[in-house]
Amino acid sequence: MKIGIPKEIKNHEYRVGLIPSSVSELTGQGHQLFVQKNAGEGIGFSDQDYQDAGATILTSAEEVFAQSEMIIKVKEPQLNECSLLRPDQILFTYLHLAPDLAQTQALIKSQAVCIAYETVTDNSGRLPLLTPMSEVAGRMSIQAGAFALQKSNGGCGLLLGGVPGVEPAKVVILGGGIVGCNAAEMAVGLGANVTILDRNGDTLRQLDKQFSGRVNTVYSTHESLKRHVLEADLVIGAVLIPGAAAPKLVTKEMIKAMKKGSAVVDVAIDQGGCFATSHATTHDDPIYIVDDVVHYCVANMPGGVARTAAQALNNATLPYVLKLANLGYKAALKADKHLLNGLNVCHGKVTIKEVAEVHNLPFTDPLDLL
């Protein structure tokens, strides 16, 4: 198969769809790889590294899209990239379509086969291609929160872990999944006072055992969520409904009632965000203030640690890329129900219920298109 890796164009996005070691795996199995010039330069992978792995370097994204049967990316395609897609071409990347009608419509128009990393599942019901970036984003969220709490950034001037004789900050994490667990590990390591809210009793028991009582676990109700948010110095939004828009758990009224100089980090912003006052920001301009609360809502957080993130992502995606390349998308999707769950748009049809519902579009069973 002819496989293309364009350079990412989102603000400060240096990750790359395939790193040289992944390219080598694919060329070793007889596939042709086309890599856009300087695609990996931002994280230390030169064009020569890709050529040594057997890839051909092309100057522009237009050339990469034109010559490839499958496009491997990291972030959702921007509208100008969507226009380069063609019928039956495979796109394999993060899509996050629930909060993005414009991209959804552009992919429908393209007639391409669009498979989203974030909705591929496994036998345990987990999201294996979202997990590595959730781990990265969860750990980064505490760094971002510490940054937001600095007085120079509009925060109240708290050090998360405090110092001897001074109380640590109170960190409240909404959601005890991969993001929340990793955020808790970092916050506990810094010495913060950490509370995790979740509605799954088994998750809370597991977290209590994992942290040996070093975090407070609370069943999430409207009352308990409001109480802990209003007491918090830093709130991490770590909720996820696979494929769907994130629920707005924290209202404008709650934000207004929070402590002056407190901070929120919305890791769910890729799916629309879980704070009513959230809107996506960039690494160039990551924070803004609403009602004296500092908001950090960068939509591609792992891009800030792009080398680590790209390597972690490739570790997870490569087996699926190989399956699609070796079998073709029809056979690969028919053979693997979990990869089939990643199919979001195909031949102009929406094939994931959550996206169809949120955008009021018709849903088509993906098997009907294969």
Side-chain angles (χ1 to χ4, degrees):
M1 183 178 283
K2 296 177 180 179
I3 302 167
I5 304 98
K7 185 175 182 179
E8 297 293 323
I9 59 175
K10 200 160 187 174
N11 178 272
H12 280 294
E13 182 54 76
Y14 304 107
R15 287 175 292 177
V16 63
L18 293 175
I19 60 177
S21 60
S22 298
V23 168
S24 183
E25 290 286 323
L26 286 154
T27 56
Q29 296 192 31
H31 302 292
Q32 286 183 270
L33 276 291
F34 301 102
V35 179
Q36 186 178 348
K37 183 177 176 62
N38 297 329
E41 183 181 46
I43 52 174
F45 297 123
S46 69
D47 290 343
Q48 188 61 55
D49 292 331
Y50 281 103
Q51 288 175 318
D52 291 345
T56 299
I57 303 299
L58 299 177
T59 302
S60 67
E62 287 79 5
E63 290 176 280
V64 171
F65 277 77
Q67 296 205 34
S68 303
E69 299 166 275
M70 176 162 62
I71 298 293
I72 307 296
K73 279 177 47 61
V74 178
K75 287 306 293 176
E76 69 279 359
Q78 304 303 290
L79 294 182
N80 61 317
E81 294 176 304
C82 292
S83 68
L84 299 176
L85 291 165
R86 61 180 184 272
D88 228 32
Q89 190 173 36
I90 306 165
L91 173 67
F92 195 28
T93 187
Y94 288 116
L95 292 177
H96 302 295
L97 294 180
D100 193 343
L101 177 59
Q103 186 204 167
T104 304
Q105 291 173 327
L107 295 180
I108 290 170
K109 183 179 179 181
S110 76
Q111 298 281 316
V113 178
C114 307
I115 304 169
Y117 294 156
E118 73 272 12
T119 60
V120 173
T121 55
D122 66 13
N123 287 327
S124 301
R126 294 172 300 209
L127 306 172
L129 305 190
L130 190 61
T131 293
M133 296 303 94
S134 295
E135 291 169 339
V136 170
R139 294 180 181 218
M140 282 190 73
S141 70
I142 300 303
Q143 294 178 197
F147 173 78
L149 285 173
Q150 291 178 193
K151 190 66 178 176
S152 57
N153 295 317
C156 57
L158 272 180
L159 183 66
L160 280 182
V163 292
V166 180
E167 290 184 1
K170 178 171 182 178
V171 176
V172 172
I173 301 169
L174 308 180
I178 301 296
V179 170
C181 180
N182 279 270
E185 284 187 3
M186 294 294 285
V188 167
L190 288 171
N193 179 339
V194 180
T195 298
I196 305 175
L197 286 89
D198 200 282
R199 302 198 77 158
N200 186 311
D202 289 336
T203 296
L204 295 175
R205 280 185 283 273
Q206 182 180 338
L207 289 166
D208 183 68
K209 182 178 180 180
Q210 177 179 341
F211 288 99
S212 302
R214 291 175 296 161
V215 302
N216 307 306
T217 56
V218 175
Y219 186 82
S220 183
T221 63
H222 179 75
E223 185 279 330
S224 65
L225 185 146
K226 180 179 179 180
R227 175 164 50 88
H228 284 283
V229 165
L230 298 193
E231 292 173 355
D233 300 302
L234 170 62
V235 182
I236 307 295
V239 295
L240 172 71
I241 300 175
K248 302 292 185 186
L249 296 181
V250 178
T251 65
K252 292 180 179 179
E253 291 73 25
M254 289 183 201
I255 292 289
K256 193 169 186 177
M258 287 178 69
K259 298 177 186 177
K260 182 177 180 179
S262 57
V264 299
V265 176
D266 199 341
V267 185
I269 193 64
D270 274 334
Q271 294 293 117
C274 60
F275 300 92
T277 46
S278 291
H279 64 76
T281 60
T282 67
H283 288 290
D284 265 345
D285 190 15
I287 60 175
Y288 61 93
I289 298 173
V290 176
D291 291 324
D292 297 316
V293 175
V294 184
H295 290 57
Y296 182 102
C297 305
V298 173
N300 60 326
M301 283 180 64
V305 289
R307 189 175 176 97
T308 296
Q311 290 173 315
L313 180 59
N314 269 239
N315 290 344
T317 58
L318 180 59
Y320 297 91
V321 174
L322 285 165
K323 186 174 292 187
L324 287 165
N326 290 336
L327 299 178
Y329 78 87
K330 288 185 179 180
L333 293 174
K334 286 179 180 178
D336 187 339
K337 65 180 181 181
H338 297 299
L339 183 57
L340 181 64
N341 287 335
L343 188 64
N344 279 210
V345 177
C346 183
H347 303 155
K349 307 291 185 182
V350 177
T351 55
I352 179 168
K353 287 182 179 178
E354 293 83 357
V355 172
E357 289 171 0
V358 76
H359 294 314
N360 197 28
L361 294 167
F363 165 74
T364 301
D365 188 316
L367 287 174
D368 291 345
L369 301 175
L370 300 177

